[in-house]
Amino acid sequence: MGLGVGLRAAKGRTRARASTALAIAAALALAGACSGDGSGDGSGGESAGAGDDTPTVGVLLPGGGASRFGQFDKPLIEKKLRELCPHCLATVAATPDPAVQRQQLESLITRGVDVLIIAAVDPQLLRPAVEDAHRAGIPVVAYDRLAQGPISGYVTFDGAKVGRLQGAALLKAMGAKAHGGQIVMMNGATTDPNADWFKRGALSVLAGEVKIGKSYDTVGWRPENAFVDMRAAVAALGAGRIDGVLAANDSLAGAVISALNATQVRPLPPVTGQDADLAAVRRIIQGDQYMTVYKPFKPAADAAVEMAVALGRGRPVASIATGTVDNATTQDIPAVLLPSVPVTAGDIKDTLVKDGMYTVGQICTPDLRPACARAGLTP
């Protein structure tokens, strides 16, 4: 397994104290951390103090709005926090910019929150601020992406399995070309440990089966970079010599498909994805994208909040964790690793719709209704 995952007994945490600069205290307001980008049910005020039954919780996410984190993770985290700790203050900030996220974290440390949930944009860049949080006695729960530095808990989906699901689905979609065909790999950012986890999981299935004509590590997970890279792959390999594309998530998949259309690649080769974005689900119904990986976000959000509230109250999280992980500085980090589900057109009704992630009405726009009917999606 990647990321140093080892199923060992969870251990406790240590806490200390330090201060940090005040110059970045306005970062959260600039990023819309409170009323603009969403706050929990808190009423403001000072930190409740470690060990209190109402610890202040800060949440930092790598995206808001229409992103997966804005649509699903943020409201689920806020809802669980209200259920588990109705009087806790939840401050939520979202940005795709790693430098801004670091400022947000430093600002929360300055404000004296009791515990943090962080989905890091760039774990390595954020590491000094995570170390500042540790010195300030603020435990950090890494969410979705493994933060670097002395963290106290980690909640994510099994990245190796995600990659294996994508690789297996791509081989299935390639049919007779699954043995000896040529693919392009559009991986995530090298700054995100999960990207390497996904990549290695996929390669464990694809290696020896297909030729990898081009492989790209997409800077910043940014679709515009994937678009440029995919056009370069078509130019280098030839429009008729790409039999499949392993795209690490749905945003990259959308960019890949746009590039294939722009270069008039016909027919479109099968393209994988991840996160079950609504736009990707519609592409799957339409036949442009072959599959996505659905990661039920509620169990992840619930586990992260349970860990954070326990840590904020000065309690252990061993009973919450299912195992442990290591990062570059810390071993035996209590962790929850959750399963994920592959979704193709025929699976949407029994997965995404059944779980309430989307309604048929949300998926099936008027132009997609004939394709939805073929997939068994009817109002």
Side-chain angles (χ1 to χ4, degrees):
M1 295 280 287
L3 298 176
V5 174
L7 297 180
R8 299 182 294 275
K11 295 184 179 179
R13 57 184 173 84
T14 59
R15 306 187 73 179
R17 184 73 187 171
S19 62
T20 189
L22 294 172
I24 43 74
L28 286 170
L30 292 174
C34 295
S35 59
D37 200 28
S39 62
D41 61 340
S43 57
E46 298 300 319
S47 166
D52 196 290
D53 275 348
T54 56
T56 51
V57 182
V59 182
L60 299 181
L61 301 175
S67 74
R68 161 220 151 165
F69 289 96
Q71 285 188 302
F72 302 108
D73 301 81
K74 176 179 177 289
L76 287 168
I77 288 171
E78 291 175 332
K79 180 180 179 182
K80 185 63 177 180
L81 187 58
R82 287 193 297 269
E83 292 174 358
L84 199 59
C85 187
H87 301 294
C88 288
L89 169 66
T91 299
V92 183
T95 178
D97 188 317
V100 172
Q101 188 177 64
R102 179 170 173 173
Q103 291 176 334
Q104 291 170 344
L105 176 50
E106 296 286 3
S107 183
L108 286 171
I109 296 168
T110 299
R111 290 173 55 179
V113 298
D114 296 313
V115 64
L116 290 155
I117 298 172
I118 301 174
V121 178
D122 184 335
Q124 195 59 44
L125 182 63
L126 205 64
R127 177 175 167 176
V130 172
E131 292 169 345
D132 286 345
H134 178 70
R135 285 189 290 268
I138 303 171
V140 171
V141 176
Y143 183 69
D144 190 70
R145 302 170 181 182
L146 184 61
Q148 295 301 304
I151 63 175
S152 300
Y154 181 39
V155 176
T156 193
F157 294 85
D158 185 335
K161 182 176 180 180
V162 169
R164 291 195 299 269
L165 291 175
Q166 291 173 326
L170 186 61
L171 291 179
K172 181 178 180 181
M174 289 171 65
K177 295 180 180 179
H179 304 285
Q182 180 167 247
I183 71 165
V184 172
M185 292 190 71
M186 196 64 64
N187 309 300
T190 57
T191 53
D192 180 357
N194 278 2
D196 184 59
W197 208 6
F198 303 145
K199 181 179 178 179
R200 286 187 284 121
L203 286 172
S204 72
V205 174
L206 297 172
E209 299 292 336
V210 294
K211 177 183 177 182
I212 299 171
K214 291 288 181 180
S215 181
Y216 301 93
D217 297 321
T218 309
V219 177
W221 284 98
R222 294 187 180 277
E224 59 268 28
N225 295 329
F227 179 85
V228 171
D229 288 340
M230 193 65 222
R231 288 191 65 131
V234 174
L237 302 175
R241 299 188 61 197
I242 297 173
D243 302 313
V245 181
L246 193 294
N249 74 3
D250 289 335
S251 294
L252 301 187
V256 162
I257 291 165
S258 293
L260 292 170
N261 285 328
T263 51
Q264 299 183 344
V265 174
R266 292 292 183 272
L268 286 174
V271 179
T272 69
Q274 177 186 178
D275 290 336
D277 291 348
L278 181 56
V281 175
R282 289 172 177 162
R283 288 194 297 267
I284 291 170
I285 289 293
Q286 195 167 3
D288 291 342
Q289 182 172 326
Y290 177 66
M291 64 85 70
T292 187
V293 176
Y294 167 45
K295 302 184 296 188
F297 303 125
K298 186 177 186 303
D302 287 354
V305 171
E306 288 169 7
M307 275 192 168
V309 171
L311 289 165
R313 290 171 173 168
R315 299 171 186 170
V317 294
S319 62
I320 302 169
T322 59
T324 66
V325 300
D326 303 333
N327 66 15
T329 60
T330 310
Q331 294 186 332
D332 297 330
I333 301 163
V336 176
L337 301 178
L338 298 163
S340 47
V341 181
V343 175
T344 58
D347 306 314
I348 293 171
K349 181 177 181 180
D350 292 331
T351 54
L352 307 180
V353 175
K354 182 179 179 180
D355 286 2
M357 190 168 182
Y358 305 116
T359 65
V360 172
Q362 287 175 304
I363 297 169
C364 297
T365 55
D367 58 314
L368 287 179
R369 284 173 187 165
C372 281
R374 291 192 294 272
L377 292 172
T378 55

